Amino acid sequence: MHSSLPRGPDLAFSLPANANGILPDRMIAAMEEDGLILPAFPFVESQIQPASLDLRLGEVAYRVRASFLPGPDVTVAERIDELKLHEVDLSDGAVLETNCVYIVPLLESLALPPSILASANPKSSTGRLDVFTRVIADGTRRFDMIGAGYHGPLYAEISPKTFPVLLRQGSRLSQVRFRTGMPQLNNDELEALHQAEHLVDCENADLAGGVAVSVDLSGEGSDGFVGYRAKRHTGVVDIDRRGGYAVDDFWEPIRARPDHSLILDPGEFYILASKEAVSGAAELRRRNGAVRPIGRRIPRALCGLLRSGGSVMTGAGGQGSRAVLEVRSREVPFILEHGQIVGRLVYEKMLAPPQTLYGTRIASNYQGQGLKLSKHFRAPV
């Protein structure tokens, strides 16, 4: 079905003069109406989010020898032909194994005008399952970045890292947002926004280069519980099954230590939370190698969206929420300490207020969240 978002009297897509910001939901709908977004099948309900578009997997996954970028004048399809090992039919669902690399053509293609570029990221549920995914376009030298004026197909690179996952045609692992101009707030604009909106709930907010976000390992207010560590050698997770799995089958709870620290074991995957409650929406840029880029878009009329490193859900009410951090230590053990800064929230402007905000008509699993696993797991009783 097509998006049910209401359209204005002028159906043709156009940008205001000197436009600068992230395009909201109704403008994304207008882009599809005017052929700037080309879906193989009509959009489904909820595919258009307040400031992003969910991308759907096509019917086949190609297992390839290694990750790649096509580079200038090379298509992704040409590289797949060189590197593929075998094909996996997703039409009726199939399991993708951990630590294998797959390339899946997406059902959405783009025909962007010169004034609009796009960037992609994993959806929150994807990151919280430790499914590594990024979007590739023809002729590009960067993952998840689609240049202004791009005309062509999109592909998802997928590599489950902890749990094997069941995917099918139409599954949504990534989302894309569209921007024009330079929407990131500068330091003065960020300070003014903080004064108006109280972006973070601490007395002396560190705003230098973005709003500082630190990790909560105190266990206060949560019966000494600070996070989860993923179990190894679990069953398969169906990416489209909501509330279908018991937490204990996939996760080990982590309790606070007396010194409020946590040693991250190499190769292990953790779900932690920020010390601060954050309002609005922003991109969380990591400070060190412990916190891996992942994330969720939480658009709000005044600001932009969360890109990587965690999740924040404020919705229409403006109440702050903890950022959920998806954490790994790569080659060596790494000590995290309570209050240690793990990243900074960088805010971007919306071109216009979204038609729908999280927490109003959208029933998000992460609205008003604290420390929370992905929607696939049943809440403990």
Side-chain angles (χ1 to χ4, degrees), residues 98 125-131 160-165 225-235 237 246-255 262-272 292 325-329 371 373-374 377:
T98 57
S125 295
T126 308
R128 294 187 202 194
L129 285 178
D130 201 21
V131 177
K161 307 310 293 182
T162 296
F163 311 124
V165 293
F225 174 71
V226 298
Y228 298 92
R229 178 169 54 197
K231 292 183 176 180
R232 294 288 187 175
H233 315 297
T234 67
V237 177
V247 171
D248 290 347
D249 290 340
F250 292 83
W251 300 93
E252 296 175 352
I254 303 171
R255 302 194 68 81
L262 175 64
I263 299 177
L264 305 177
D265 291 322
E268 298 296 320
F269 181 63
Y270 301 82
I271 298 291
L272 305 173
R292 190 186 68 188
L325 308 171
E326 297 144 24
V327 179
R328 273 187 177 275
S329 182
L371 179 64
L373 296 171
S374 72
F377 301 99

Side-chain angles (χ1 to χ4, degrees), residues 283-294:
E283 171 189 355
L284 180 54
R285 294 182 178 171
R286 58 180 174 174
R287 181 181 177 91
N288 55 49
V291 180
R292 190 186 68 188
I294 34 74

